[in-house]
Amino acid sequence: MARRRWRTGLTAGILLAGTLAAGPGVAADRPGAPRLADGTGDGAAGPADYTLDIDPARTGAKIDDSMYGVFFEDINRAADGGLYAELVQNRSFEYAAADHPSYRPLTSWQVSDGGRAEVKDDAGRLNGRNRAYLVLGGGSAVTNSGYGTGIAVREGERYDFSVWARAGEGSGAPLTVTLRDSSGALAPARRVTARGGWARYEASFTATRTSATGRLTVAAARETALDMISLFPRDTYKGRANGLRKDLAEKIAALRPGFLRFPGGCLVNTGSHEAYDEESGWQRARSYQWKDTVGPVETRASNANFWGYNQSYGLGYYEYFQFAEDIGAMPLPVVPALVTGCGQNEATDDPALLERHIQDTLDLIEFANGPATSEWGRERARMGHPEPFGLTHIGVGNEENLPEEFFARFQRFRAAIKAKHPDITVVSNSGPDDSGTVFDRAWKLNRDHHVDMVDEHYYNSPQWFLENNHRYDAYDREGPKVFLGEYASQGDTFSHALAEAAFMTGLERNADVVKLASYAPLLAREDSVQWRPDMIWFDGDRSWGSANYETQKLFMRNVGDEVVPSTASATPGGEGPLTGAVGLSTWATSAAYDDVRVTSADGETLFADDFSAGDGRWTRAAGAGSWAVEDGAYVQSDTGAENTLVTAGDKEWSNYDLRVRATKKAGREGFLVAFGVKDTGTHYWWNLGGWNNTRSAVEKSVGGAKRTLVERATTIEPGRAYDLRVQVRGRQVTLFLDGEKWGSFTDDERAEPFRQVVTRDKATGDLVVKVVNARAATARTRIALGSAVPVARTARVTTLTAAPDAQNTKSARPVKPVTSTFTGVDRTFSYDFPGHSVTFLRIRTR
């Protein structure tokens, strides 16, 4: 997961802005209403909108069982406070300002009035890696508030309490443990007595009421040292000790994922790559290193999570491997390559440290696959799993933005892994974006060195996903395979899910190239969100799948074994000319603009402004920088402001020339000139001197999500006036810098709303016809199966259909599958696919 330089809030319905999103409602036609009276295909109900020709006698690309999977990263409190079932927050008093500026060792704890409680970091600690512990005075108590609204319990269910305590000399130190909310006790109190040195003590509660606002209190009769204060539900997923929250794990398992990628994401390749030890000064902000996360939980390291909180590593590599096995998924761990990403972009040049990480990766493979007699296989066996986990794939690095530096290190990892484990698939990556110079260079390095698999990531608008169904059609069939490790259309409404579904039909059609794919992120706690959208949402006691989740589940549970060749007609009508107003902007830079002129293709002046009369013809959003007319130019003076777009003109302008004179005054970057402007999130802009003045590009933004259309290595000099010209003709744009042609592009990708793919399920003999209709109108479709393969008359149908702005929440689930039976299958037949729908027809072959 990488931080992006765009806003992620999308307007519902942006997916088919203008021509295709004809209305907010769902077509009233019954899904699958038959249109034939006989088997000839001459339906009496009227002509078809689309045709779909399927050739069941032929076979296309093979589809691996692991085609679709899930990516787990501890973002949005996905682990602590989420999938990891621990109910106590900051159980070992390790929270620190390194994790979040507001954190202190007693964060989430409250000391009783007049009580004495001190967090210490000295030689009296539980162990060297568990640095802090609490000394609780006699007659004092501490209360933990859990996560969010509090500790959630359900009536009749059991909860296991444990604590490490040290009482010192004497007859013992009684501890009273209570579980309450504002209405009173949630279970009878429990008592344990600590004696002597550090030891673990246990008790259990049975909840007498259901509550989401519980508090756990530990009271000491005499001074006692405490650490690892824990409360776990007895009913974890599969009943595992140190286990997973059941409802969340079950929702993930219900997807039937083919693989589980973990632990990141930005957690893998950010921060220090040093160890958690005295030599490093107990470095807190570190890349995720697997050896920190195995063994007894009280000996695991603490770390600052990249997303702004603490991660306890209670959910560690052993638990990830076990979860993958429990849900029948292939484990796919990712290790750091010693090149940071996610905005940090630094390469660590330390040969000894690199060798240590390479050896750690070899040890990880031994931990997963080695016999119980090997060093790390023995550790796995001690943790409860004598048999190997069967690791077959491993990722090295995540979204590195320095392709040369990354690949040099990747090569070292790959050589070492292949020397000892030649059958392991070693996964590289192509950086944080779907295109651009980093992407192109990374892919060239991967191709030239015959890498097994390349991990691509992108988060784009629904429009992009509708336009890019054919992205992988032209990929080299003999080159590295693709792992689409992170993708999403930046919203949780059904319109976003529809766009993703349309794109997924292209992934399946290209299953010989795209071997793995996972939506991201997987989980989000409602009260702790760093990234949207997310597949599964939850709070302390409830969870719900988004519209995206329902779509992913439908695809994952109906993948098939091979593609069946099929072709479909396109939606009538084409893209019109590029239209929109014009704009000026800056990013962390002060710039001056003058002599703005827009003329039609035949030379007529549509707009002209030399700012001699002020800036009254320009519109700017609140907080969009500090704009003022100075010395006859329009100046944005705030060097800290980002995206300061101001706009002018007519949104219906087409076939025009935009001319402007621009001068950088101060700051990190250059200037931005916008055209084709519909609103502040939907436009094109020429970004000159972007990316800290290292390159320039034209970016297309839809709903705030940007992608690069053309790019050059141009940088901008401060104090120099540049003459810019943007020529728009139809959907072709040509750009001139100081009278010289800088570049051009034609944006003629079509946002096709009708997409399909057909696969064969060999186990059942079913043809699985998957159709996405992202427009508002019903898609009457004539389907031809030919005569080479006999088919049953009846098809099982699963349909997702809802208003485009429909969104699943904890209290409502408007996006959910509906199953039905269709009895009109023949060699040629008609089917009505509802507006705004994803439909799967399973047709039995005989």
Side-chain angles (χ1 to χ4, degrees):
M1 186 71 61
R3 281 178 168 167
R4 304 289 188 215
R5 211 175 69 160
W6 53 61
R7 73 176 170 86
T8 56
L10 297 179
T11 303
I14 191 82
L15 145 69
L16 299 174
T19 58
L20 298 178
V26 179
D29 301 68
R30 177 170 57 88
R35 293 292 178 180
L36 282 194
D38 55 35
T40 65
D42 297 326
D49 301 308
Y50 298 94
T51 59
L52 172 55
D53 295 308
I54 303 169
D55 190 350
R58 294 173 55 214
T59 299
K62 304 293 183 185
I63 304 176
D64 295 343
D65 291 341
S66 55
M67 172 76 182
Y68 294 121
V70 292
F71 164 46
F72 182 92
E73 178 178 9
D74 187 2
I75 183 174
N76 309 316
R77 285 215 175 270
D80 294 325
L83 185 62
Y84 186 49
E86 174 65 77
L87 296 172
V88 174
Q89 183 173 183
N90 191 19
R91 66 184 177 184
S92 59
F93 309 100
E94 298 290 335
Y95 276 29
D99 308 324
H100 188 279
S102 69
Y103 281 3
R104 299 295 180 268
L106 282 172
T107 292
S108 297
W109 292 95
Q110 182 176 357
V111 182
S112 58
D113 291 343
R116 293 182 295 108
E118 180 184 2
V119 176
K120 292 190 174 183
D121 179 0
D122 59 25
R125 63 178 62 88
L126 178 59
N127 59 66
R129 289 162 74 83
N130 197 326
R131 307 295 294 166
Y133 65 100
L134 178 72
V135 176
L136 185 60
S140 303
V142 287
T143 298
N144 190 267
S145 57
Y147 296 91
T149 61
I151 294 172
V153 297
R154 293 185 183 277
E155 182 180 354
E157 295 191 6
R158 294 184 66 183
Y159 298 86
D160 294 324
F161 166 83
S162 64
V163 62
W164 282 82
R166 187 191 68 209
E169 301 298 328
S171 58
L175 299 172
T176 301
V177 188
T178 57
L179 188 58
R180 305 174 59 86
D181 64 9
S182 60
S183 298
L186 292 168
R190 292 289 182 262
R191 182 169 170 171
V192 297
T193 301
R195 291 182 170 85
W198 285 109
R200 187 173 186 266
Y201 301 91
E202 300 175 350
S204 67
F205 296 93
T206 298
T208 57
R209 290 189 292 111
T210 295
S211 176
T213 59
R215 301 289 188 269
L216 179 75
T217 299
V218 179
R222 52 171 290 196
E223 183 174 285
T224 311
L226 306 174
D227 206 346
M228 295 295 291
I229 300 175
S230 172
L231 187 69
F232 255 85
R234 176 72 58 87
D235 190 19
T236 58
Y237 185 65
K238 300 286 186 181
R240 304 282 183 200
N242 195 53
L244 306 181
R245 178 171 152 175
K246 191 173 182 180
D247 63 323
L248 293 179
E250 286 178 341
K251 281 186 170 57
I252 298 169
L255 293 166
R256 300 180 190 168
F259 66 87
L260 171 65
R261 176 181 177 240
F262 62 90
C266 286
L267 304 187
V268 167
N269 67 335
T270 52
S272 164
H273 301 296
E274 301 289 341
Y276 190 58
D277 57 21
E278 189 171 6
E279 184 178 353
S280 73
W282 305 102
Q283 175 65 245
R284 283 297 287 264
R286 306 181 316 283
S287 58
Y288 199 111
Q289 301 173 43
W290 79 271
K291 288 180 180 178
D292 287 343
T293 77
V294 296
V297 292
E298 66 272 11
T299 66
R300 300 184 189 181
S302 185
N303 203 7
N305 183 299
F306 173 82
W307 298 106
Y309 50 89
N310 176 273
Q311 51 188 351
S312 72
Y313 288 145
L315 174 56
Y317 258 72
Y318 178 83
E319 289 77 22
Y320 285 125
F321 277 122
Q322 183 67 75
F323 184 46
E325 182 177 88
D326 285 343
I327 62 178
M330 176 185 80
L332 205 166
V334 183
V335 298
L338 273 69
V339 179
T340 57
C342 304
Q344 296 181 359
N345 301 334
E346 296 179 359
T348 299
D349 188 14
D350 184 334
L353 188 60
L354 177 62
E355 286 300 322
R356 194 266 284 176
H357 276 268
I358 291 171
Q359 185 58 51
D360 281 355
T361 302
L362 297 175
D363 292 344
L364 171 60
I365 297 171
E366 184 178 286
F367 177 78
N369 292 353
T373 55
S374 65
E375 178 185 0
W376 287 102
R378 187 178 302 113
E379 178 63 26
R380 181 195 67 239
R382 276 198 297 261
M383 295 185 72
H385 201 284
E387 297 302 315
F389 281 114
L391 178 67
T392 60
H393 292 61
I394 191 165
V396 177
N398 170 77
E399 294 188 2
E400 283 75 20
N401 215 18
L402 302 171
E404 304 287 349
E405 293 86 343
F406 162 73
F407 202 79
R409 289 155 180 78
F410 171 83
Q411 285 280 71
R412 298 281 301 278
F413 278 86
R414 184 173 71 151
I417 294 168
K418 290 294 187 181
K420 293 194 69 172
H421 307 281
D423 294 334
I424 294 285
T425 297
V426 185
V427 183
S428 180
N429 73 81
S430 58
D433 296 304
D434 63 274
S435 60
T437 54
V438 171
F439 178 88
D440 292 341
R441 181 57 182 159
W443 255 107
K444 186 176 190 312
L445 290 167
N446 287 314
R447 278 193 302 268
D448 290 351
H449 292 85
H450 308 290
V451 166
D452 296 332
M453 185 175 285
V454 178
D455 186 5
E456 293 188 356
H457 296 177
Y458 37 81
Y459 297 87
N460 289 320
S461 68
Q463 180 104 0
W464 185 94
F465 282 94
L466 289 175
E467 291 174 350
N468 281 272
N469 178 272
H470 294 286
R471 176 181 175 88
Y472 296 105
D473 290 3
Y475 270 51
D476 181 3
R477 271 37 211 174
E478 304 303 319
K481 302 306 179 185
V482 172
F483 171 23
L484 180 49
E486 298 182 30
Y487 73 97
S489 69
Q490 297 190 324
D492 277 336
T493 70
F494 190 51
S495 68
H496 296 89
L498 280 171
E500 292 154 4
F503 186 73
M504 292 169 78
T505 66
L507 300 183
E508 291 191 12
R509 186 177 63 251
N510 289 285
D512 57 328
V513 170
V514 183
K515 307 305 288 184
L516 307 170
S518 50
Y519 178 101
L522 178 61
L523 294 172
R525 186 177 176 104
E526 189 180 42
D527 54 18
S528 182
V529 179
Q530 293 84 48
W531 188 279
R532 297 175 187 269
D534 303 285
M535 195 193 299
I536 300 170
W537 290 80
F538 63 95
D539 58 16
D541 62 337
R542 292 166 293 181
S543 59
W544 56 97
S546 64
N548 320 72
Y549 172 84
E550 297 296 346
T551 302
Q552 292 287 327
K553 183 163 69 172
L554 187 57
F555 274 85
M556 288 193 198
R557 295 168 72 107
N558 295 276
V559 181
D561 303 289
E562 60 191 18
V563 176
V564 176
S566 61
T567 57
S569 60
T571 303
E575 295 284 351
L578 189 157
T579 62
V582 299
L584 310 170
S585 188
T586 60
W587 199 290
T589 302
S590 172
Y593 298 92
D594 202 358
D595 298 327
V596 179
R597 181 175 296 273
V598 181
T599 56
S600 67
D602 59 8
E604 178 188 357
T605 298
L606 303 175
F607 177 90
D609 198 345
D610 63 3
F611 302 102
S612 58
D615 63 351
R617 302 176 68 185
W618 295 82
T619 300
R620 54 177 165 157
S626 180
W627 289 91
V629 175
E630 299 177 7
D631 299 325
Y634 201 21
V635 177
Q636 198 292 114
S637 57
D638 185 349
T639 58
E642 298 180 346
N643 192 5
T644 63
L645 184 66
V646 294
T647 62
D650 189 337
K651 294 179 182 179
E652 300 306 315
W653 277 343
S654 64
N655 297 312
Y656 60 82
D657 284 37
L658 164 64
R659 292 177 174 85
V660 61
R661 179 178 289 264
T663 305
K664 172 181 176 176
K665 295 174 72 67
R668 298 199 309 264
E669 304 204 352
F671 30 78
L672 302 111
V673 176
F675 53 97
V677 177
K678 296 298 186 183
D679 55 50
T680 56
T682 301
H683 53 74
Y684 302 79
W685 66 21
W686 190 4
N687 184 351
L688 285 155
W691 298 272
N692 290 321
N693 204 16
T694 60
R695 51 195 170 103
S696 300
V698 175
E699 297 175 284
K700 178 181 179 179
S701 178
V702 179
K706 297 195 292 290
R707 67 183 178 102
T708 300
L709 300 179
V710 61
E711 185 173 342
R712 299 285 182 270
T714 309
T715 58
I716 296 300
E717 300 174 20
R720 172 184 165 186
Y722 291 83
D723 288 318
L724 314 179
R725 177 185 166 204
V726 180
Q727 182 187 78
V728 181
R729 296 293 184 271
R731 301 198 67 81
Q732 181 174 344
V733 177
T734 307
L735 305 110
F736 299 88
L737 181 63
D738 287 337
E740 299 291 329
K741 181 178 176 180
W742 179 90
S744 64
F745 66 91
T746 301
D747 186 15
D748 56 3
E749 292 288 348
R750 179 174 179 154
E752 172 58 57
F754 187 83
R755 296 292 189 186
Q756 59 79 34
V757 71
V758 181
T759 63
R760 179 180 285 110
D761 185 335
K762 289 184 176 180
T764 63
D766 290 351
L767 294 176
V768 189
V769 181
K770 313 172 189 185
V771 175
V772 179
N773 178 21
R775 67 175 191 166
T778 297
R780 182 172 302 165
T781 306
R782 178 163 294 181
I783 302 173
L785 297 172
S787 58
V789 176
V791 295
R793 292 279 294 174
T794 299
R796 288 174 292 148
V797 184
T798 306
T799 306
L800 285 173
T801 184
D805 61 352
Q807 189 168 1
N808 288 351
T809 66
K810 69 179 111 179
S811 59
R813 189 185 168 203
V815 183
K816 58 185 176 183
V818 175
T819 58
S820 60
T821 301
F822 174 65
T823 58
V825 178
D826 210 323
R827 289 174 299 170
T828 302
F829 66 98
S830 290
Y831 192 92
D832 282 358
F833 294 98
H836 303 132
S837 69
V838 182
T839 304
F840 280 33
L841 297 169
R842 294 191 70 108
I843 301 172
R844 181 67 54 87
T845 58
R846 297 179 295 181

